[in-house]
Amino acid sequence: MPVLLALAAAALIAADTVTPLDPLRAFGSAVYGGLEDAASAGVRWASGAGRLEDLERENARLRAELLAVRRATPSPAEGNGYQVVSAHAVGFGRDGTVTIDAGSGAGVAPDMTVFDGDGLVGRVLRTGPGTATVQLATASGASVGARLEGSREVGLVTGVPEHGLLRLGLLNPSADVKPGDRVVTLGSRDLRPFVPDVPIGTVITVEPAPDALTRTALVRPFARFTALENVTVVLGPLPDTGPDTQAVTDPAAETPTTQQQPDKKPEKKSKKKKKKKKDSSGHAEGA
Amino acid sequence: MRAVILSVLLVLAAPVLQVTVVNGWSLPGGVPDIVLICVIALAPTLWSFTGSYTGSRTGAGAGALLGFAAGLAADVAPPADHTIGRLALVLCLAGWVSTRIPADDGAGRRVAGAAVVALCASFAGGVLAALLDGTPWAAALAPGAIAWTTGGAALVTAGLALLPRRRSFGRVPASRPWYARGGRRA
């Protein structure tokens, strides 16, 4: 019996290494996510924080607005703000991950930006029905596109997990970087996995490497990863009501008319294609 | 039977406690592994209970099964992001070895045995983490976390070993399990 079980465990390891056992993880998220959520909610309720939920939600929205306003290069195509959801960190893992109590039920999906009042927290790794797993920026496998806030130099931030610090590698080896410089996210296309200009941390030491291909520096993150409480998840851009974005109507609204008038179908399709092209080129300019 | 069900429930709830409460503690050097402590402390009692009815061989299997279940639960409980089966393997072996410690030994020997098993299991778990999931060695084999786990396992085992003795001062109905009858298997 013990030998059989040990073999079963070894088989699981082998299977998960070859093809990730995602159904098993989804099951774990569903069952243990709910339990963790309940346990954490119980602890919070016991400490009298239950009435703060509304304020927390409002706070999350305001933080997101602040973040959108802070953006140095406003592009009208991406709307005026972000659609966000607030969450609590309910579980802390040992693999540089945390559980938050907002899942696919709240619209959270993999590769969404997570931040808190101090700065960047990380990105969503996978979701369960009521919870999501977030990979912290300090995790050993994490990397975040970043830039220096002042000089706009571009680089990559990776985790140094044992010290809770981050390492910034700048693409320009002769970049001017000094302790005290602020590092912010570079931002990705379609806002995933990272929205631009979220503060990450400050440079504390610049590593001397004269003949390296990149310039590296150690960065102290703003977010306190060991004491996370309220976090905000960016779901996407706000559905904008401005005249610019209304020109690009969504395809779902168009389908009823095309079904009623089948002879006009080809024309509409070509129009849609044109719009899509415009849209993507606009994104490329913004990025 | 109550002891078995209670042990299984405790061990399956341990990952929740670990993730929501214990990992939030800011202890110097790291935090204890509650799941491992639970398995090491509960597996011997499981052996003694099932062993008294069915013989010791099934009992050893029950300890391994307890560890396997706990490990698999800890492998899939949400924030975990490592190879599934890693903790199941370590905890299965830890549960099995724990049942080899005879429950009618003295409390001191049982506590020492639990501490040794906890130390070896933490070490093996750290090595597997570094090899399978690329965890940095310094984080995988944090001496502080291993020390807390070893100390915790010794403490909980000592608590379980002393608890029945205190109970045995009172009247002991014959329907009570072995540990209420003076710490010796009937």
Side-chain angles (χ1 to χ4, degrees):
Chain A
M1 178 91 154
V3 180
L4 264 181
L5 286 170
L7 281 178
L12 276 175
I13 292 175
D16 196 33
T17 312
V18 177
T19 53
L21 298 170
D22 284 332
L24 209 52
R25 288 202 171 86
F27 174 76
S29 292
V31 175
Y32 274 95
L35 287 175
E36 284 168 23
D37 196 4
S40 174
V43 170
R44 276 201 309 278
W45 178 79
S47 61
R51 288 180 58 226
L52 293 175
E53 302 263 332
D54 287 341
L55 293 174
E56 283 170 3
R57 210 165 298 132
E58 187 184 0
N59 213 2
R61 189 174 55 77
L62 293 174
R63 275 203 299 270
E65 273 176 22
L66 189 69
L67 184 71
V69 167
R70 276 175 39 98
R71 293 185 50 184
T73 50
S75 62
E78 289 184 5
N80 297 320
Y82 300 122
Q83 209 179 345
V84 297
V85 62
S86 79
H88 299 99
V90 297
F92 296 86
R94 291 168 166 203
D95 311 314
T97 48
V98 296
T99 313
I100 58 170
D101 61 352
S104 50
V108 178
D111 282 338
M112 284 178 168
T113 312
V114 183
F115 67 99
D116 70 353
D118 300 318
L120 182 76
V121 171
R123 69 184 179 92
V124 176
L125 205 61
R126 71 179 72 88
T127 56
T131 56
T133 301
V134 176
Q135 185 187 43
L136 303 178
T138 45
S140 58
S143 64
V144 187
R147 72 188 337 159
L148 291 174
E149 199 173 47
S151 62
R152 312 300 291 168
E153 288 285 354
V154 174
L156 198 67
V157 163
T158 47
V160 189
E162 55 265 53
H163 304 298
L165 294 176
L166 300 163
R167 178 169 281 119
L168 169 69
L170 289 167
L171 296 183
N172 178 3
S174 59
D176 179 33
V177 53
K178 56 190 182 303
D181 282 355
R182 281 164 61 94
V183 182
V184 299
T185 53
L186 178 64
S188 343
R189 175 178 286 207
D190 298 334
L191 307 179
R192 290 193 188 190
F194 295 108
V195 299
D197 294 301
V198 184
I200 298 175
T202 48
V203 174
I204 48 172
T205 49
V206 181
E207 292 177 350
D211 49 335
L213 289 174
T214 58
R215 197 78 197 271
T216 56
L218 281 182
V219 174
R220 181 181 299 288
F222 289 127
R224 284 157 58 231
F225 292 103
T226 48
L228 288 174
E229 281 182 18
N230 297 317
V231 297
T232 306
V233 186
V234 180
L235 301 180
L238 268 187
D240 201 51
T241 49
D244 287 350
T245 46
Q246 268 194 348
V248 190
T249 47
D250 61 330
E254 252 182 25
T255 39
T257 54
T258 51
Q259 275 173 354
Q260 280 166 9
Q261 298 153 322
D263 47 322
K264 282 189 177 177
K265 228 179 185 175
E267 206 185 316
K268 286 244 173 182
K269 260 194 179 172
S270 64
K271 261 191 190 173
K272 248 194 241 171
K273 268 186 189 170
K274 266 187 195 170
K275 275 171 191 167
K276 268 189 184 170
K277 266 190 186 172
K278 261 190 198 170
D279 194 31
S280 60
S281 65
H283 268 295
E285 275 169 20
Chain B
M1 202 60 212
R2 252 205 338 221
V4 178
I5 293 172
L6 201 65
S7 298
V8 171
L9 282 182
L10 265 176
V11 144
L12 289 182
V16 178
L17 187 70
Q18 176 84 49
V19 151
T20 54
V21 180
V22 178
N23 284 351
W25 292 347
S26 50
L27 298 173
V31 291
D33 188 339
I34 295 295
V35 187
L36 181 62
I37 291 174
C38 275
V39 167
I40 289 175
L42 291 175
T45 67
L46 205 66
W47 176 80
S48 312
F49 184 80
T50 51
S52 63
Y53 282 97
T54 55
S56 62
R57 289 184 65 82
T58 354
L65 190 63
L66 188 76
F68 183 81
L72 197 59
D75 272 329
V76 299
D81 183 37
H82 57 249
T83 316
I84 290 181
R86 196 183 87 194
L87 293 174
L89 179 61
V90 172
L91 288 175
C92 168
L93 293 177
W96 177 57
V97 176
S98 299
T99 51
R100 314 297 288 185
I101 305 167
D104 36 9
D105 261 7
R109 287 190 58 164
R110 272 194 274 169
V111 169
V116 170
V117 176
L119 189 68
C120 295
S122 312
F123 193 78
V127 170
L128 267 186
L131 292 180
L132 282 174
D133 294 300
T135 311
W137 286 97
L141 294 176
I146 294 181
W148 284 115
T149 306
T150 308
L155 210 67
V156 175
T157 309
L160 283 182
L162 292 179
L163 195 68
R165 302 220 163 159
R166 203 172 291 160
R167 262 197 205 168
S168 68
F169 286 124
R171 70 266 174 277
V172 182
S175 62
R176 284 284 185 90
W178 63 273
Y179 49 74
R181 283 181 242 137
R184 236 168 245 285
R185 283 190 302 130

